[in-house]
Amino acid sequence: MNVRIEPSILSADFVNLEAEVARIASADAVHVDVMDNHFVPNLTFGPQMVGRLQAVSAIPLDVHLMISDADRWAPGYAELGAFSVTFHAEAATDPVAVARRLREIGSRAGIAVKPGTDLTPYLDLLPEFDQILVMTVEPGFGGQSFMADMMPKVAAARAAIDAAGIDVWLQVDGGISLDTIGEAAEAGADTFVAGSAVYGADDVEVAIGDLRAAAGAHRH
């Protein structure tokens, strides 16, 4: 099974984002964290910045919306041309309708759950999504410690995806490093968001390769 590494530009230099995205050419996607200071207690950027990133990035954008009222706002990010748009289950009134709209526009549709949210109700809806994101920290800030107690949730998602026999990516986001990526891969994740583990490294391309190898060594 493929291992995908997606560096989070939350850990990049915001003044030089075009150059920062160019540095991670071997990554599978750029993870773009959109925060509204409402759904999470932090503010990053919105459609204008994502649109510019879309215009200059040589690799796909995986937009993670940590914003309220996903039903209203998520489709706009798909319209910008993002490869994938992930919204939070806690912020959507009708997650299936949002996912269908994203796909209709042309993006992959992802659904994310916070650490305290039960994933079980969404596992029956798996065919409606292209990606499940299990947060391994509380969303809102980079640099937090990995929550190993989320691994049973990852494992349950992997079992449901495999049982359904469908191609749904299983993503983890939060505290992913060389020390933790193996555990997440062992639990069944195949798509890994890493911020400081990539952008804090002396050589970002080596860091991406090391993370990919470490995850691959633990995949079943």
Side-chain angles (χ1 to χ4, degrees):
M1 190 173 289
N2 288 339
V3 167
R4 286 171 287 269
I5 305 296
E6 301 188 355
S8 166
I9 57 167
L10 200 57
S11 298
D13 177 1
F14 280 13
V15 176
N16 298 296
L17 278 183
E18 182 174 1
E20 291 285 77
V21 169
R23 289 172 69 202
I24 57 168
S26 67
D28 297 278
V30 188
H31 193 78
V32 183
D33 291 300
V34 175
M35 306 183 192
D36 64 357
N37 206 26
H38 186 263
F39 180 70
V40 291
N42 196 3
L43 186 66
T44 54
F45 32 70
Q48 195 170 11
M49 182 74 87
V50 173
R52 287 297 298 133
L53 283 170
Q54 178 66 28
V56 301
S57 178
I59 57 176
L61 299 194
D62 178 26
V63 179
H64 176 195
L65 301 178
M66 288 172 264
I67 63 175
S68 299
D69 200 0
D71 304 70
R72 178 180 180 189
W73 298 112
Y77 289 87
E79 286 164 357
L80 292 170
F83 170 72
S84 178
V85 178
T86 298
F87 60 93
H88 269 265
E90 305 89 356
T93 306
D94 188 342
V96 170
V98 178
R100 287 179 179 174
R101 181 71 186 121
L102 293 173
R103 284 174 159 183
E104 194 177 89
I105 295 166
S107 290
R108 289 172 58 85
I111 189 164
V113 290
K114 293 167 141 179
T117 300
D118 183 9
L119 186 58
T120 312
Y122 304 99
L123 297 180
D124 293 337
L125 307 172
L126 279 177
E128 300 288 351
F129 304 109
D130 301 295
Q131 178 168 276
I132 304 282
L133 167 52
V134 176
M135 292 299 297
T136 43
V137 295
E138 287 293 340
F141 294 93
Q144 297 183 70
S145 296
F146 176 77
M147 296 171 70
D149 56 346
M150 291 298 107
M151 294 307 96
K153 189 188 285 191
V154 174
R158 169 52 57 201
I161 291 167
D162 290 350
I166 52 180
D167 182 22
V168 177
W169 295 2
L170 180 50
Q171 186 177 66
V172 285
D173 179 3
I176 298 298
S177 67
L178 277 178
D179 296 329
T180 60
I181 196 167
E183 192 174 352
E186 191 84 32
D190 54 31
T191 304
F192 305 88
V193 177
S196 44
V198 172
Y199 277 113
D202 291 333
D203 187 321
V204 295
E205 294 286 30
V206 168
I208 291 167
D210 288 349
L211 287 166
R212 198 186 299 281
H218 288 84
R219 293 288 297 131
H220 299 299

